[in-house]
């Protein structure tokens, strides 16, 4: 699970949901470069000093918003089978990047070269995805669906790569049939 950053973030300030909603709305409307903490304060109705108390910078605030969205929108699936879990994982990430907060990630992550907080966020996003895959494959090994451990980082990359490519580069949505085919292709390789 991604650790919350920028303050005692397990709790968050009063109005945290409104703050995170304001950040996502402003990112969608104006992009990362034009987002300001002052604008978030106005839109959320939360005092600017409260925002700075919890998140000392715009990157910290945006990172906290993505952590919040991921924790809320991307739980680790547990369908009872490896295939079911991987399909559910691909479908949830597809929805997150196509229709959810993840659709804004490309704009935000384009600024990682200039900001270490955003670079850490990118690393955390990938680490969280790998942790989800590790949990899924660990359960599959325990159930006897996999003969032994797999390279979870490679599997995570192979699962997320097509989702990210379609959401960010080609802007073609991955259908449920595409998600099924992707997982079936990867499972055929894993089970050899």
């Amino acid at each position: 699970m991604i650790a919350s950053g920028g303050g005692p973030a397990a709790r968050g300030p009063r109005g945290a949901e409104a703050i995170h909603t304001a950040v996502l709305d402003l990112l969608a409307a104006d992009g990362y470069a034009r987002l300001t903490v002052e604008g978030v304060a106005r839109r959320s109705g939360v005092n600017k000093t409260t925002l700075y108390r919890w998140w000392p910078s715009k990157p910290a605030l945006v990172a906290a918003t993505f952590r919040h969205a991921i924790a809320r929108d991307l739980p680790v699936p547990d369908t009872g089978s490896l295939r079911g879990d991987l399909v559910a994982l691909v479908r949830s990430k597809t929805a997150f990047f196509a229709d959810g907060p993840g659709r804004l990630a490309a704009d935000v992550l384009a600024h990682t070269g200039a900001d270490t907080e955003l670079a850490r966020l990118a690393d955390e996003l990938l680490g969280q995805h790998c942790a989800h895959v590790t949990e899924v494959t660990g359960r599959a090994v325990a159930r006897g669906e996999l003969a032994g451990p797999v390279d979870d980082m490679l599997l995570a990359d192979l699962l997320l790569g097509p989702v990210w490519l379609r959401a960010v580069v080609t802007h073609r949505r991955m259908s449920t049939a595409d998600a099924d085919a992707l997982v079936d292709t990867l499972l055929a390789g894993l089970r050899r």
Side-chain angles (χ1 to χ4, degrees):
M1 191 59 112
I2 289 182
S4 301
R11 297 182 320 269
R14 210 170 322 143
E17 192 66 40
I19 294 165
H20 296 313
T21 298
V23 169
L24 293 173
D25 289 348
L26 291 169
L27 283 172
D30 300 326
Y32 179 79
R34 295 188 55 192
L35 179 83
T36 64
V37 174
E38 293 77 12
V40 172
R42 271 191 309 278
R43 182 139 187 156
S44 66
V46 174
N47 193 303
K48 180 173 70 168
T49 58
T50 299
L51 296 179
Y52 279 116
R53 191 175 319 123
W54 285 87
W55 304 288
S57 65
K58 175 174 91 169
L61 175 58
V62 169
T65 295
F66 275 93
R67 290 179 187 111
H68 171 77
I70 287 166
R72 181 192 64 211
D73 297 345
L74 292 174
V76 181
D78 188 359
T79 65
S81 75
L82 175 61
R83 183 183 185 281
D85 288 352
L86 292 177
V87 166
L89 198 60
V90 169
R91 288 179 183 176
S92 69
K93 291 190 187 289
T94 295
F96 184 78
F97 286 117
D99 301 323
R103 74 187 186 288
L104 307 170
D107 177 48
V108 172
L109 297 178
H111 297 271
T112 57
D115 190 280
T116 57
E117 180 78 19
L118 294 180
R120 274 195 304 277
L121 174 63
D123 288 344
E124 287 179 26
L125 292 175
L126 294 174
Q128 176 261 1
H129 175 65
C130 188
H132 283 184
V133 170
T134 299
E135 186 174 331
V136 165
T137 60
R139 287 193 310 253
V141 169
R143 286 189 303 257
E145 291 181 272
L146 289 174
V150 298
D151 184 338
D152 292 321
M153 181 63 89
L154 179 59
L155 181 57
D157 288 347
L158 291 170
L159 285 169
L160 185 60
V163 172
W164 183 258
L165 177 72
R166 287 195 181 195
V168 175
V169 178
T170 66
H171 303 286
R172 289 183 330 166
R173 178 137 189 174
M174 182 171 287
S175 70
T176 56
D178 294 336
D180 291 355
L182 171 63
V183 169
D184 289 340
T185 301
L186 291 175
L187 286 177
L190 279 176
R191 289 184 171 142
R192 281 192 188 149

